Coordinates of all heavy atoms in Angstrom, one line a residue:
Chain A
A193 N -186.9 14.3 -58.7 CA -187.2 13.7 -59.9 C -187.7 14.7 -61.0 O -187.3 14.7 -62.1 CB -188.3 12.6 -59.7
L194 N -188.5 15.7 -60.5 CA -189.0 16.7 -61.4 C -187.8 17.6 -62.0 O -187.7 17.8 -63.2 CB -189.9 17.6 -60.7 CG -191.3 17.1 -60.4 CD1 -192.1 18.1 -59.5 CD2 -192.1 16.8 -61.7
T195 N -186.9 17.9 -61.1 CA -185.8 18.8 -61.5 C -184.9 18.0 -62.4 O -184.4 18.6 -63.4 CB -185.0 19.2 -60.2 OG1 -186.0 19.9 -59.4 CG2 -183.9 20.2 -60.6
G196 N -184.6 16.7 -62.1 CA -183.8 15.9 -62.9 C -184.4 15.8 -64.3 O -183.7 15.9 -65.4
L197 N -185.7 15.5 -64.4 CA -186.3 15.4 -65.7 C -186.2 16.7 -66.5 O -186.0 16.8 -67.7 CB -187.7 14.9 -65.5 CG -188.5 14.4 -66.8 CD1 -187.7 13.4 -67.5 CD2 -189.8 13.9 -66.4
A198 N -186.5 17.8 -65.7 CA -186.4 19.1 -66.4 C -185.1 19.4 -67.0 O -185.0 19.9 -68.1 CB -186.8 20.2 -65.4
L199 N -184.0 19.1 -66.3 CA -182.7 19.3 -66.8 C -182.4 18.4 -68.0 O -181.7 18.8 -68.9 CB -181.6 19.2 -65.7 CG -181.6 20.5 -64.9 CD1 -181.0 20.2 -63.5 CD2 -180.8 21.6 -65.6
T200 N -182.9 17.2 -67.9 CA -182.7 16.3 -69.0 C -183.4 16.9 -70.3 O -182.8 16.9 -71.4 CB -183.4 14.9 -68.7 OG1 -182.8 14.4 -67.5 CG2 -183.2 13.9 -69.9
M201 N -184.6 17.4 -70.1 CA -185.3 18.0 -71.2 C -184.5 19.3 -71.8 O -184.5 19.5 -73.0 CB -186.7 18.4 -70.8 CG -187.6 17.2 -70.4 SD -189.0 17.6 -69.4 CE -190.0 18.5 -70.6
V202 N -184.0 20.1 -70.8 CA -183.2 21.2 -71.2 C -182.1 20.8 -72.1 O -181.8 21.4 -73.1 CB -182.8 22.0 -70.0 CG1 -181.7 23.0 -70.4 CG2 -184.0 22.8 -69.4
G203 N -181.4 19.8 -71.7 CA -180.2 19.3 -72.4 C -180.6 18.8 -73.8 O -180.0 19.1 -74.8
A204 N -181.8 18.1 -73.9 CA -182.2 17.6 -75.2 C -182.6 18.8 -76.0 O -182.3 18.8 -77.3 CB -183.4 16.7 -74.9
C205 N -183.2 19.8 -75.5 CA -183.6 21.0 -76.2 C -182.4 21.7 -76.8 O -182.4 22.2 -77.9 CB -184.5 21.9 -75.4 SG -186.2 21.3 -75.2
K206 N -181.4 21.8 -75.9 CA -180.1 22.4 -76.4 C -179.6 21.7 -77.6 O -179.1 22.3 -78.5 CB -179.1 22.5 -75.3 CG -179.4 23.5 -74.3 CD -178.2 23.8 -73.3 CE -178.6 24.9 -72.4 NZ -177.6 25.1 -71.3
R207 N -179.6 20.3 -77.5 CA -179.1 19.5 -78.7 C -179.9 19.8 -79.9 O -179.4 20.0 -81.0 CB -179.3 18.1 -78.3 CG -178.9 17.1 -79.4 CD -177.4 16.8 -79.3 NE -177.0 15.9 -80.4 CZ -176.0 16.1 -81.3 NH1 -175.3 17.2 -81.1 NH2 -175.8 15.3 -82.2
V208 N -181.3 19.9 -79.8 CA -182.1 20.2 -80.9 C -181.7 21.6 -81.5 O -181.5 21.7 -82.7 CB -183.6 20.3 -80.5 CG1 -184.4 20.8 -81.7 CG2 -184.1 18.9 -80.1
L209 N -181.5 22.6 -80.7 CA -181.1 23.9 -81.2 C -179.7 23.9 -81.9 O -179.6 24.4 -82.9 CB -181.1 24.9 -80.0 CG -180.7 26.4 -80.4 CD1 -181.6 26.9 -81.5 CD2 -180.7 27.3 -79.2
E210 N -178.8 23.1 -81.3 CA -177.5 23.0 -81.9 C -177.6 22.4 -83.3 O -177.0 22.9 -84.3 CB -176.5 22.1 -81.1 CG -176.0 22.8 -79.8 CD -175.4 21.8 -78.8 OE1 -175.2 20.6 -79.1 OE2 -175.2 22.2 -77.6
L211 N -178.3 21.3 -83.4 CA -178.5 20.7 -84.7 C -179.2 21.6 -85.7 O -178.8 21.7 -86.9 CB -179.3 19.3 -84.5 CG -178.6 18.2 -83.8 CD1 -179.6 17.1 -83.4 CD2 -177.4 17.7 -84.6
T212 N -180.2 22.3 -85.2 CA -180.9 23.3 -86.0 C -180.0 24.4 -86.5 O -180.1 24.7 -87.7 CB -182.1 23.8 -85.3 OG1 -182.9 22.7 -84.8 CG2 -183.0 24.7 -86.2
I213 N -179.2 24.9 -85.6 CA -178.3 26.0 -86.0 C -177.4 25.5 -87.1 O -177.2 26.2 -88.1 CB -177.5 26.5 -84.8 CG1 -178.5 27.2 -83.8 CG2 -176.4 27.5 -85.2 CD1 -179.1 28.4 -84.2
D214 N -176.8 24.3 -86.9 CA -175.9 23.8 -87.9 C -176.6 23.6 -89.2 O -176.0 24.0 -90.3 CB -175.4 22.4 -87.5 CG -174.3 22.5 -86.4 OD1 -173.8 23.6 -86.1 OD2 -174.0 21.4 -85.8
H215 N -177.8 23.1 -89.1 CA -178.5 22.9 -90.4 C -178.8 24.2 -91.1 O -178.5 24.3 -92.3 CB -179.8 22.2 -90.1 CG -180.7 21.9 -91.3 ND1 -180.3 21.0 -92.2 CD2 -181.9 22.5 -91.7 CE1 -181.2 21.0 -93.2 NE2 -182.2 21.9 -92.9
V216 N -179.3 25.2 -90.4 CA -179.7 26.5 -91.2 C -178.5 27.3 -91.6 O -178.7 28.1 -92.5 CB -180.8 27.3 -90.3 CG1 -182.0 26.5 -90.0 CG2 -180.1 28.0 -89.1
R217 N -177.4 27.0 -91.0 CA -176.2 27.7 -91.5 C -175.7 27.1 -92.8 O -175.0 27.8 -93.6 CB -175.1 27.7 -90.5 CG -175.3 28.7 -89.4 CD -174.5 28.4 -88.2 NE -173.1 28.7 -88.4 CZ -172.2 28.9 -87.5 NH1 -172.5 28.7 -86.2 NH2 -171.0 29.2 -87.7
T218 N -175.9 25.8 -93.0 CA -175.3 25.2 -94.2 C -176.4 24.9 -95.3 O -176.0 24.9 -96.5 CB -174.7 23.8 -93.8 OG1 -175.7 23.1 -93.0 CG2 -173.5 24.0 -92.9
R219 N -177.6 24.7 -95.0 CA -178.6 24.4 -96.0 C -178.9 25.7 -96.8 O -179.2 26.7 -96.2 CB -179.9 23.9 -95.3 CG -181.1 23.9 -96.1 CD -181.1 22.7 -97.1 NE -182.3 22.7 -97.9 CZ -182.5 22.1 -99.0 NH1 -181.5 21.4 -99.5 NH2 -183.6 22.1 -99.7
E220 N -178.7 25.6 -98.1 CA -179.0 26.8 -98.9 C -180.3 26.6 -99.8 O -180.5 25.6 -100.3 CB -177.8 27.0 -99.8 CG -176.6 27.4 -99.1 CD -175.5 28.1 -100.0 OE1 -175.7 28.2 -101.2 OE2 -174.5 28.5 -99.4
Q221 N -181.0 27.7 -99.8 CA -182.1 27.8 -100.7 C -182.2 29.2 -101.2 O -181.7 30.2 -100.5 CB -183.5 27.5 -100.0 CG -183.7 26.0 -99.8 CD -183.9 25.2 -101.1 OE1 -184.9 25.2 -101.7 NE2 -182.8 24.6 -101.6
F222 N -182.6 29.4 -102.5 CA -182.7 30.8 -103.1 C -181.2 31.3 -103.1 O -181.0 32.5 -103.0 CB -183.6 31.7 -102.3 CG -185.0 31.2 -102.3 CD1 -185.5 30.5 -101.1 CD2 -185.9 31.4 -103.3 CE1 -186.8 30.1 -101.1 CE2 -187.2 30.9 -103.3 CZ -187.6 30.2 -102.1
G223 N -180.3 30.5 -103.2 CA -178.9 30.9 -103.3 C -178.2 31.4 -102.0 O -177.1 31.9 -102.1
V224 N -178.9 31.3 -100.9 CA -178.3 31.7 -99.6 C -178.6 30.7 -98.5 O -179.5 29.9 -98.6 CB -178.8 33.1 -99.2 CG1 -178.4 34.2 -100.2 CG2 -180.3 33.1 -99.0
P225 N -177.8 30.7 -97.4 CA -178.1 29.9 -96.3 C -179.5 30.2 -95.8 O -179.8 31.5 -95.6 CB -177.0 30.1 -95.3 CG -175.9 30.9 -96.0 CD -176.6 31.6 -97.2

Side-chain angles (χ1 to χ4, degrees):
Chain A
L194 287 173
T195 303
L197 192 52
L199 280 157
T200 303
M201 294 161 73
V202 165
C205 286
K206 284 192 177 171
R207 176 91 180 126
V208 173
L209 180 60
E210 285 163 12
L211 292 168
T212 305
I213 296 291
D214 283 348
H215 179 69
V216 304
R217 283 165 72 162
T218 47
R219 166 76 178 162
E220 294 199 356
Q221 284 294 279
F222 303 96
V224 293

